[in-house]
Amino acid sequence: MNCGAEMSEERCEACGLTPTAAEFSVRSKLLNRTAVFLLGAVAFVVAAGRYPALELDGILIFIGVVFFATLGIAIWLERRTVAHQDVDLLKRLYYGLIPLPWLLALLLIANGAFDTSKARSEPARIISKFSMPGPIPSRRLIVTSWRDGHRLERIAVDRVDFDRFTKGDLVNVQVHEGLASIPWVSAVSMQ
């Protein structure tokens, strides 16, 4: 359970642990790595707000699915550990998903921080506004789209911009290409 070796006796020949000690070892590692994963998820949400991608809502939905799938695997892994069942494959899968939020957060930060592309101004009209309060509040301006195949865009803005604009205003959205080709919005201004 702990080291992946076959146990033929009461004590593992590879790591020297009994089944109960191996269970404790696996569960403590699982708890520590889950804490690292949760901190990574929080870091991702903060990083996503620093240089908001144009497709931020889709990115947040993706990371939400990954988040709950990873926690589901962690719960399944913990239950199998308690039952002294084989957990080697689940451990590998779970440990592989741990750095994902950290890597995606670094990708979004690097995409905006090291982007040298010049901002292009895209005209749009505000259709509506959306605000979701919470520890990390989310404010969006829903505007007409300038991209082919899109009817509208959800632009992440700060509180000042959210309060400044009203439905029907004509605005210019400053869009950068992004270092990793993930377009992001740097500012919204009145036309």
Side-chain angles (χ1 to χ4, degrees):
M1 185 181 310
N2 183 51
C3 63
E6 291 290 326
M7 270 184 74
S8 58
E9 300 175 14
E10 185 61 30
R11 186 173 296 272
C12 177
E13 293 175 9
C15 64
L17 297 177
T18 64
T20 305
E23 174 190 333
F24 179 76
S25 176
V26 169
R27 290 177 78 190
S28 66
K29 288 177 187 175
L30 181 66
L31 182 65
N32 292 337
R33 291 181 188 206
T34 301
V36 170
F37 176 76
L38 293 175
L39 287 174
V42 171
F44 172 81
V45 172
V46 172
R50 179 68 180 103
Y51 299 101
L54 199 52
E55 297 289 344
L56 184 59
D57 290 339
I59 293 169
L60 289 174
I61 289 169
F62 170 75
I63 198 67
V65 169
V66 168
F67 177 81
F68 287 110
T70 304
L71 287 183
I73 291 169
I75 292 168
W76 190 19
L77 176 60
E78 194 270 338
R79 293 289 94 205
R80 288 183 64 89
T81 302
V82 169
H84 297 279
Q85 295 174 340
D86 183 34
V87 295
D88 195 45
L89 181 64
L90 281 176
K91 274 190 345 187
R92 291 174 192 266
L93 178 63
Y94 180 69
Y95 292 171
L97 290 170
I98 297 294
L100 191 60
W102 289 102
L103 295 173
L104 292 174
L106 287 173
L107 175 67
L108 287 182
I109 289 290
N111 182 62
F114 300 116
D115 182 17
T116 57
S117 69
K118 189 169 182 146
R120 68 179 192 279
S121 183
E122 300 289 353
R125 179 181 300 276
I126 297 177
I127 298 169
S128 66
K129 298 177 2 173
F130 172 78
S131 177
M132 184 174 67
I136 302 175
S138 175
R139 295 176 186 87
R140 304 275 196 277
L141 296 177
I142 291 81
V143 301
T144 56
S145 181
W146 56 88
R147 299 188 295 168
D148 292 334
H150 292 84
R151 281 191 33 243
L152 50 89
E153 304 289 346
R154 291 171 181 84
I155 308 296
V157 293
D158 60 12
R159 183 177 183 180
V160 173
D161 284 343
F162 185 81
D163 293 338
R164 183 168 55 130
F165 298 118
T166 59
K167 182 178 174 182
D169 286 348
L170 294 172
V171 295
N172 287 324
V173 180
Q174 304 300 317
V175 180
H176 295 264
E177 287 305 313
L179 180 68
S181 298
I182 302 172
W184 61 281
V185 176
S186 61
V188 180
S189 59
M190 287 290 232
Q191 275 192 359

